[in-house]
Amino acid sequence: MDDRAVYIISVAAELAGVHPQTLRNYEREGLVRPKRTSGNTRRYSPRDIARLHVIQQLTQDGVSLAGVKLIMEMEG
């Protein structure tokens, strides 16, 4: 999967079907780590977007963010 960080937060949020603030929360929780530009702007890669879809699916299935983090860590 592509690791080039190309999507700004608003586009990444739209692609993942969430609000940009949700992406900030996921970053704070350590669930996703977008790259940063020299101006400190978040940039998301297609791999990040795929990860966001997994996170969304798990949370929609009732898994807490702590549980999602544990699952993601176990999956490597």
Side-chain angles (χ1 to χ4, degrees), residues 18-38:
V18 298
H19 192 276
Q21 187 62 41
T22 302
L23 297 186
R24 291 182 192 97
N25 289 340
Y26 290 170
E27 184 179 3
R28 250 190 314 277
E29 293 292 327
L31 296 172
V32 66
R33 293 179 189 88
K35 303 284 191 281
R36 297 287 186 140
T37 66
S38 58

Side-chain angles (χ1 to χ4, degrees), residues 17-66:
V18 298
H19 192 276
Q21 187 62 41
T22 302
L23 297 186
R24 291 182 192 97
N25 289 340
Y26 290 170
E27 184 179 3
R28 250 190 314 277
E29 293 292 327
L31 296 172
V32 66
R33 293 179 189 88
K35 303 284 191 281
R36 297 287 186 140
T37 66
S38 58
N40 209 30
T41 303
R42 293 171 179 87
R43 298 284 185 192
Y44 294 82
S45 70
R47 185 182 304 269
D48 293 328
I49 302 301
R51 184 174 177 90
L52 291 169
H53 283 283
V54 171
I55 294 167
Q56 276 303 101
Q57 185 60 54
L58 289 169
T59 58
Q60 288 173 0
D61 289 344
V63 180
S64 69
L65 290 182

